[in-house]
Amino acid sequence: MAEGRTGEDIVSEYLDQNPHLVEWVESLRGVHETNKQWHARREFFLRNMETFPTVQPGFPSPSLDRLLSLSICWANHVFLGCRYPQPVMDKIEEMAEGVVVNDAPVRKTRDEIMGKGKRTAGGGDDDSCVKRTKPGNPFKQGPPPQAPAEHQPFFNRLYKAVAWKLVSAGGFGPNLDHFEILRACTESSKESLSCVFVPLKDIPDLPAARTQKEGQVCELRCQTVYLGTGYGRDEAAARSMASKEALKAFQGRKVMVKICRRRFNGRDVEDLVLLDDQPRNPGFPPAISYPFQPEQQGDGPS
């Protein structure tokens, strides 16, 4: 396949030149894959077909099974954070050369989310140049006072996009693909969603009814503004629930970006939150990400 253009352009041109492959390639799509996941995995698959010369379109074979398995491993790693034995990871990273995925989901380890361990002190690449965070420094900053006014115009546009999308879908309801609606509207507004996942049992400050339960937690943000939190048996279910909670803010007459108090890592912090215009309980789920932590102060070692 040709180089030098976007992956989507290359794939489109390749399939235009090989129309007999279109139906077969589309038959390889997983039933639960989003458009973004499928387009990325399709590019990965087509870029590597030449290295599996025994693959014949429309005919099952061990080579086709291996290529499909590797493409699924790569997609699971990129979009779901899955890890595989190191030889597999090395192979899919080599095969993914040239495949660019914009705005892939952001995932962090538990230590990164909880603010533990070491952090880089400055702009250098030297791993020895590290500092430990100082108590009382990981939360004083918070969002600046003008942040709500700066973000409000974007969320006004997003509100209109979501409203039209819900109207075309027949209204807000339990059977919608809530994440797909929110993702499509966000991307049509030239932004992207940030999804952070963490095991449910690793979250401090959870309500007593949710402690000691298996599952995942997903927190959604856009432009650093908190949208919603969801709990589920796996990442896809948690993301769906978080999207459903986020869309509830779009059911009022308008949305508002405000600075609100939340819990993060056992502390009270100020966070940017998207709200509707209805009176509500001021309580929020504990944050599992916090984009307003102050940078480490000082140049010397702690």
Side-chain angles (χ1 to χ4, degrees), residues 261-277:
R261 301 290 290 178
R262 298 182 68 197
R263 297 285 289 177
F264 174 68
N265 199 18
R267 298 171 180 260
D268 285 330
V269 297
E270 291 186 337
D271 200 357
L272 281 179
V273 177
L274 188 69
L275 301 172
D276 58 20
D277 58 348

Side-chain angles (χ1 to χ4, degrees), residues 23 53 57 110 114 160 163 202 212 220:
E23 185 175 352
R110 180 186 176 187
M114 301 309 172
K160 294 179 181 178
D202 291 346
Q212 305 301 320
L220 291 179

Side-chain angles (χ1 to χ4, degrees), residues 66-174:
R66 177 169 170 76
L67 178 54
L68 284 174
S69 296
L70 289 168
S71 74
I72 292 171
C73 288
W74 174 77
N76 287 346
H77 170 63
V78 171
F79 293 102
L80 302 178
C82 297
R83 298 287 300 180
Y84 298 93
Q86 195 56 48
V88 177
M89 296 300 297
D90 292 341
K91 180 65 174 177
I92 60 177
E93 287 178 9
E94 174 188 346
M95 294 172 67
E97 183 177 357
V99 181
V100 178
V101 179
N102 294 320
D103 304 318
V106 177
R107 290 176 176 80
K108 298 183 180 181
T109 65
R110 180 186 176 187
D111 284 350
E112 288 173 331
I113 291 170
M114 301 309 172
K116 297 178 182 178
K118 296 182 178 181
R119 58 179 293 184
T120 303
D125 294 329
D126 187 353
D127 289 339
S128 65
C129 183
V130 295
K131 292 184 179 180
R132 295 190 180 276
T133 56
K134 296 181 180 179
N137 273 353
F139 308 115
K140 288 184 179 178
Q141 183 169 317
Q146 71 274 18
E150 292 175 348
H151 289 284
Q152 189 64 52
F154 167 77
F155 284 97
N156 290 342
R157 297 195 302 273
L158 183 61
Y159 173 83
K160 294 179 181 178
V162 170
W164 281 111
K165 194 76 169 179
L166 290 176
V167 168
S168 65
F172 184 80

Side-chain angles (χ1 to χ4, degrees), residues 148-166 181-192 222-223 227 247 249-250 253-257 274:
E150 292 175 348
H151 289 284
Q152 189 64 52
F154 167 77
F155 284 97
N156 290 342
R157 297 195 302 273
L158 183 61
Y159 173 83
K160 294 179 181 178
V162 170
W164 281 111
K165 194 76 169 179
L166 290 176
I181 288 175
L182 190 59
R183 181 204 63 77
C185 292
T186 302
E187 293 186 357
S188 72
S189 301
K190 310 303 182 185
E191 274 293 346
S192 59
C222 182
Q223 288 194 340
L227 303 181
L247 285 176
F250 294 85
R253 293 174 296 178
K254 62 180 179 180
V255 292
M256 299 175 292
V257 180
L274 188 69

